[in-house]
Amino acid sequence: AANVGVLSMVVYFFMLVAMYAFLANLIFTLTTHNSIVPEHRITRVMGAIIAAVAGLSYYFIQDYYRHMLADLSALGTEAERQELIRTSYNAIGQYRYMDWAVTTPLLLLKMVSMLRVESSKAKGAITALLLADFFMVLTGYIGEQQLDAAGHILVGPKLFWGAVSTVGYLVVPFVLYRLWNRFKDQAKPIERKSFKIIALSTVTTWGVYPLGYVLSVLDIDMNWIHLSFSVADIINKVGLSVVVYLAGKTLLDE
Amino acid sequence: AANVGVLSMVVYFFMLVAMYAFLANLIFTLTTHNSIVPEHRITRVMGAIIAAVAGLSYYFIQDYYRHMLADLSALGTEAERQELIRTSYNAIGQYRYMDWAVTTPLLLLKMVSMLRVESSKAKGAITALLLADFFMVLTGYIGEQQLDAAGHILVGPKLFWGAVSTVGYLVVPFVLYRLWNRFKDQAKPIERKSFKIIALSTVTTWGVYPLGYVLSVLDIDMNWIHLSFSVADIINKVGLSVVVYLAGKTLLDE
Ligand SMILES: CC1=C(/C=C/C(C)=C/C=C/C(C)=C/C=O)C(C)(C)CCC1
Ligand SMILES: CC1=C(/C=C/C(C)=C/C=C/C(C)=C/C=O)C(C)(C)CCC1
């Protein structure tokens, strides 16, 4: 810790833990491919992709953070340190968006397939879901780039783009809810239960990200946002994978 | 974004998204190997190779671009920035050619095998296809190297080599069309449909590359070319992979 502070070191800890958790999830998903019913195997493929992309993304994140820590330890005052943590937050945070561009559509497709939605019968809804999600990620990324020449957040523009992004975000649970109404009767009980859990996560554990986005304009230690995002990523990505595995395994055992 | 501009950051975003998309495609291709009919499995192997090479190529591209961004943020005026974006474009753009030298022949072989062309019966046509393609890539690469001592494009020579390369390019759809006429009756309907989609892409979404090549001699922000190429790469490589998967899966289900 020396003079970078314990919080910074705990953030670094969770970044590496997240990276290892995704590696674990990748191996778990690949090796249990045959322990679940064939209909759900394609969702395991998506799970493997999510794990691999997130793992690589966290490799970049922790690498950037590690270099930042080295610079941090050379700084004399707490004000200088907070300044570096703030400006580097914006550089590190942006890596999450490239990951989300690939992984969040797959998370949504996993949810949809849990309900045995036949893609041919719900083309419009699935397209809307994916477009809204991509719109959310891209406009959020543009919002993250609203910085002045010194690398400080331009509060007004950042919040404006955040509001734009939220429009896409709100479409997601709305479409999922409509799909639920249309297809819930054809799914098996365990699939219904699993769908409910994972679909609800889009308005609960997914909510951590817009919250962090808004809090970033305040004068807080940005390390708290790094920390929450790392923990939320593990829950959202590995958690979903476990739920799908348990459902698919229960169906195979039956 | 600070002083490098939002467009540069969006370009960086799409470079990483493309890299992740290829990683995703690699895992997808490898894990769904047995979900498609045996006759088309060899095309999945080609798909895996394409994904791996493209992913590594994008690793180099985004890495170069990231260092360029760091230099960019140190420059004071917009004119200096555009100058760096222009000269680094030529350095970054060339990485695409090494990728194409390996991946475009495989893309063409994937198309050909979708039509159940027996290679023994079409040796001449397939050889012509691959040679024309390689000629296109190599002469295009030589064209990209037509720079003066300051790193600026020599318009005349670049366009000359572009025209030479176009000769190779035009041979590709011509040969594909002849193969279509010869073999279309022995392919199944879904294979015919898939071949049509992917073969047409050589004159539609492949057209982005010669267009970008020509536009590069104009006084435009080269970031737009980076952006279009990254998006086109995802469509051409991942899109083709999905089309082949859907065709192979439909045939297995039947
Ligand atoms: C609404 C909103 C956002 C939502 C982000 C979300 C919902 C991200 C979800 C990420 C997930 C699920 C990752 C997986 O592990 C942004 C882009 C922060 C910008 C501000 C407005
Ligand atoms: C005609 C022409 C070109 C054509 C390039 C093509 C057609 C590239 C295709 C790449 C693909 C399909 C990549 C896969 O993702 C060059 C070399 C730019 C040089 C200028 C003339």
Side-chain angles (χ1 to χ4, degrees):
Chain A
N3 40 14
V4 303
V6 172
L7 180 59
S8 292
M9 294 313 294
V10 172
V11 166
Y12 186 53
F13 176 89
F14 273 100
M15 285 175 174
L16 268 105
V17 168
M19 185 175 80
Y20 294 151
F22 296 133
L23 177 61
N25 195 20
L26 176 62
I27 295 177
F28 171 60
T29 316
L30 291 176
T31 48
T32 55
H33 199 67
N34 296 327
S35 323
I36 67 166
V37 279
E39 309 94 88
H40 287 303
R41 285 192 190 152
I42 188 73
T43 73
R44 300 295 280 166
V45 172
M46 295 179 203
I49 294 173
I50 292 169
V53 171
L56 184 56
S57 170
Y58 263 86
Y59 173 78
F60 288 124
I61 289 175
Q62 64 80 32
D63 193 53
Y64 199 110
Y65 197 81
R66 185 168 57 84
H67 286 103
M68 195 276 288
L69 284 179
D71 295 343
L72 204 61
S73 69
L75 295 177
T77 71
E78 180 60 22
E80 283 176 320
R81 280 196 289 273
Q82 284 301 324
E83 168 73 12
L84 179 59
I85 292 173
R86 282 199 84 74
T87 52
S88 67
Y89 173 83
N90 301 314
I92 298 170
Q94 70 177 337
Y95 283 111
R96 303 182 176 278
Y97 288 77
M98 293 90 161
D99 167 339
W100 294 348
V102 176
T103 58
T104 55
L106 292 173
L107 289 171
L108 293 173
L109 286 177
K110 275 180 93 163
M111 294 179 191
V112 168
S113 75
M114 185 41 64
L115 209 56
R116 292 184 187 256
V117 171
E118 283 139 276
S119 43
S120 56
K121 284 198 197 145
K123 267 190 199 139
I126 294 174
T127 313
L129 198 60
L130 298 183
L131 285 182
D133 177 74
F134 188 73
F135 176 83
M136 171 189 87
V137 174
L138 188 64
T139 53
Y141 178 78
I142 294 174
E144 288 280 351
Q145 305 306 329
Q146 305 303 315
L147 306 170
D148 67 16
H152 294 135
I153 294 170
L154 297 166
V155 178
K158 179 160 183 178
L159 291 181
F160 167 78
W161 283 101
V164 171
S165 169
T166 304
V167 176
Y169 177 53
L170 293 177
V171 172
V172 169
F174 175 75
V175 174
L176 286 177
Y177 184 71
R178 290 192 49 166
L179 284 172
W180 163 256
N181 277 335
R182 256 179 78 192
F183 290 96
K184 63 171 184 282
D185 299 327
Q186 67 182 54
K188 305 220 166 83
I190 177 85
E191 291 169 335
R192 273 208 291 276
K193 199 179 137 203
S194 306
F195 178 81
K196 259 201 251 173
I197 298 173
I198 57 189
L200 274 179
S201 78
T202 64
V203 286
T204 53
T205 45
W206 283 37
V208 171
Y209 305 101
L211 198 68
Y213 183 94
V214 170
L215 291 179
S216 74
V217 308
L218 302 180
D219 188 26
I220 56 164
D221 188 331
M222 304 296 247
N223 271 326
W224 290 110
I225 305 182
H226 280 309
L227 196 60
S228 336
F229 281 15
S230 301
V231 174
D233 277 354
I234 301 177
I235 295 173
N236 286 325
K237 293 195 174 104
V238 183
L240 177 58
S241 189
V242 171
V243 171
V244 171
Y245 170 74
L246 291 177
K249 192 164 179 312
T250 308
L251 289 173
L252 192 69
D253 293 348
E254 268 167 15
Chain B
N3 38 16
V4 305
V6 172
L7 180 60
S8 292
M9 294 312 297
V10 171
V11 167
Y12 185 54
F13 176 88
F14 274 101
M15 285 174 174
L16 267 105
V17 169
M19 184 176 78
Y20 292 151
F22 296 133
L23 176 61
N25 195 20
L26 177 62
I27 294 177
F28 171 64
T29 314
L30 291 176
T31 50
T32 56
H33 198 68
N34 295 328
S35 322
I36 68 165
V37 278
E39 309 93 271
H40 286 303
R41 284 192 191 153
I42 186 73
T43 73
R44 302 293 279 163
V45 173
M46 296 179 202
I49 296 173
I50 293 168
V53 171
L56 185 56
S57 169
Y58 264 86
Y59 174 78
F60 289 124
I61 290 175
Q62 63 81 30
D63 194 55
Y64 196 113
Y65 197 81
R66 186 168 57 85
H67 286 103
M68 196 277 286
L69 284 179
D71 295 343
L72 203 61
S73 69
L75 295 178
T77 70
E78 180 62 23
E80 283 175 323
R81 282 195 288 272
Q82 284 300 326
E83 168 73 12
L84 178 59
I85 292 174
R86 281 200 85 73
T87 50
S88 67
Y89 173 85
N90 301 315
I92 297 170
Q94 70 180 336
Y95 282 113
R96 302 182 176 279
Y97 289 77
M98 293 89 162
D99 167 340
W100 294 348
V102 177
T103 59
T104 55
L106 291 173
L107 289 171
L108 293 173
L109 287 177
K110 276 180 95 163
M111 295 180 191
V112 167
S113 74
M114 184 45 60
L115 207 57
R116 293 185 185 256
V117 171
E118 282 139 276
S119 42
S120 56
K121 285 199 200 147
K123 267 188 199 143
I126 293 173
T127 312
L129 198 60
L130 298 183
L131 285 181
D133 177 75
F134 188 73
F135 177 81
M136 170 190 88
V137 174
L138 187 64
T139 52
Y141 180 77
I142 294 174
E144 287 282 351
Q145 305 308 326
Q146 304 303 316
L147 306 170
D148 67 17
H152 294 136
I153 294 170
L154 297 166
V155 178
K158 179 160 183 179
L159 291 181
F160 167 76
W161 283 101
V164 172
S165 170
T166 303
V167 175
Y169 176 54
L170 292 177
V171 171
V172 169
F174 175 75
V175 175
L176 286 177
Y177 184 73
R178 291 191 49 164
L179 285 171
W180 162 254
N181 276 333
R182 256 178 76 193
F183 291 95
K184 64 171 183 283
D185 298 326
Q186 68 182 54
K188 304 220 165 83
I190 177 85
E191 291 170 333
R192 273 209 289 275
K193 199 178 135 203
S194 304
F195 178 81
K196 259 200 252 175
I197 298 173
I198 57 188
L200 274 179
S201 78
T202 63
V203 285
T204 53
T205 47
W206 284 37
V208 172
Y209 306 102
L211 198 68
Y213 184 94
V214 170
L215 291 179
S216 74
V217 308
L218 302 181
D219 188 26
I220 58 165
D221 189 331
M222 305 296 249
N223 272 325
W224 290 111
I225 305 182
H226 281 309
L227 196 60
S228 336
F229 281 16
S230 301
V231 174
D233 278 354
I234 300 177
I235 295 173
N236 286 326
K237 294 197 174 101
V238 182
L240 177 58
S241 187
V242 172
V243 171
V244 171
Y245 169 75
L246 291 178
K249 191 164 180 309
T250 309
L251 289 172
L252 191 70
D253 292 347
E254 267 165 17

